[in-house]
């Protein structure tokens, strides 16, 4: 559903945004009128901790209706969650995901808004930390895994697996032109 006033809010740490790669030159972006319009509808909120994310989620309703995002994207929640041990991190995850879940509804209509939370997978388990906490607050939890064969090939091929039913889909980010 296209709507000219729909806004997207991208929540990330400043360090992550500074490391991000831009796919498009300044010239390409500035000379494309439709890109300029789309970019104006994207907001960026810098946070440093899970407490900052919860504070935004709790006070989101204070923004004017026209400034409310229809989609919220939280980049790498795990890098924001603080806690010295597993229990305190689990509590922080649960509180943050609960606050995000509650703010992902329109105040007036009750309509669900789009909420996407990304998480880097644990190198030991190959899964997102606290995956069971995510499953409590989200109807659908998807994991993306890079597929490699024994020779290290397969770069650019990914498996997308749904945690709810274990269904898997494979897609490629490699160019089909050859």
């Amino acid at each position: 559903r296209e709507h000219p006033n729909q806004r997207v809010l991208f929540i990330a740490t400043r360090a992550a945004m500074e490391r991000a790669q831009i796919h498009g030159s300044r010239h390409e972006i500035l000379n494309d009128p439709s890109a300029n319009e789309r970019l104006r509808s994207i907001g960026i909120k810098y946070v440093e901790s899970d407490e900052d994310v919860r504070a935004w989620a709790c006070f989101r309703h204070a923004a004017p209706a026209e400034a409310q995002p229809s989609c919220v994207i939280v980049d790498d929640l795990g890098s924001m969650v603080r806690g010295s041990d597993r229990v305190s991190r689990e509590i922080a995850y649960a509180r943050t995901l609960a606050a995000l879940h509650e703010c992902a509804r329109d105040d007036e209509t009750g309509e669900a808004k789009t909420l996407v939370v990304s998480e880097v997978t644990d190198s030991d388990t190959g899964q997102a930390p606290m995956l069971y906490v995510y499953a409590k607050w989200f109807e659908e939890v998807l994991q993306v895994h890079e597929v490699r064969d024994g020779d290290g090939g397969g770069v650019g091929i990914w498996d997308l697996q749904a945690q709810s039913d274990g269904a898997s889909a494979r897609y490629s980010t490699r160019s089909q032109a050859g």
Side-chain angles (χ1 to χ4, degrees):
R1 178 178 90 168
E2 291 264 338
H3 189 278
N5 296 327
Q6 284 189 331
R7 298 184 45 75
V8 174
L9 181 65
F10 192 81
I11 300 174
T13 62
R14 186 174 296 277
M17 291 301 289
E18 289 173 356
R19 287 189 308 267
Q21 297 177 359
I22 305 291
H23 298 284
S25 71
R26 180 177 174 87
H27 177 74
E28 290 172 324
I29 293 170
L30 292 177
N31 289 328
D32 181 354
S34 63
N36 280 325
E37 288 176 33
R38 289 189 301 267
L39 287 173
R40 275 193 284 275
S41 69
I42 299 171
I44 297 175
K45 170 75 176 157
Y46 294 116
V47 296
E48 295 304 321
S49 71
D50 55 299
E51 293 171 354
D52 294 341
V53 176
R54 285 194 304 274
W56 174 83
C58 291
F59 292 103
R60 175 211 43 91
H61 67 277
E66 63 275 0
Q68 295 284 336
S70 59
C71 175
V72 175
I73 302 168
V74 180
D75 182 47
D76 192 11
L77 180 62
S79 69
M80 300 170 204
V81 173
R82 296 189 179 154
S84 57
D85 60 18
R86 182 167 178 84
V87 172
S88 61
R89 287 183 60 80
E90 182 175 343
I91 291 169
Y93 266 97
R95 286 179 175 167
T96 305
L97 292 173
L100 287 168
H101 183 265
E102 287 302 309
C103 86
R105 268 186 261 144
D106 187 274
D107 294 332
E108 295 174 13
T109 66
E111 182 180 321
K113 296 182 178 198
T114 304
L115 173 63
V116 177
V117 179
S118 73
E119 179 77 59
V120 174
T121 58
D122 183 321
S123 59
D124 294 333
T125 65
Q127 293 190 342
M130 309 287 176
L131 188 58
Y132 58 94
V133 180
Y134 276 94
K136 176 170 177 40
W137 293 105
F138 290 94
E139 291 179 23
E140 191 68 65
V141 177
L142 303 172
Q143 289 194 95
V144 179
H145 302 278
E146 188 170 16
V147 177
R148 292 180 182 258
D149 59 24
D151 299 329
V155 175
I157 299 176
W158 304 84
D159 272 343
L160 178 65
Q161 183 173 9
Q163 293 300 306
S164 58
D165 60 6
S168 183
R170 184 161 289 178
Y171 63 97
S172 174
T173 57
R174 284 192 277 184
S175 171
Q176 299 299 321

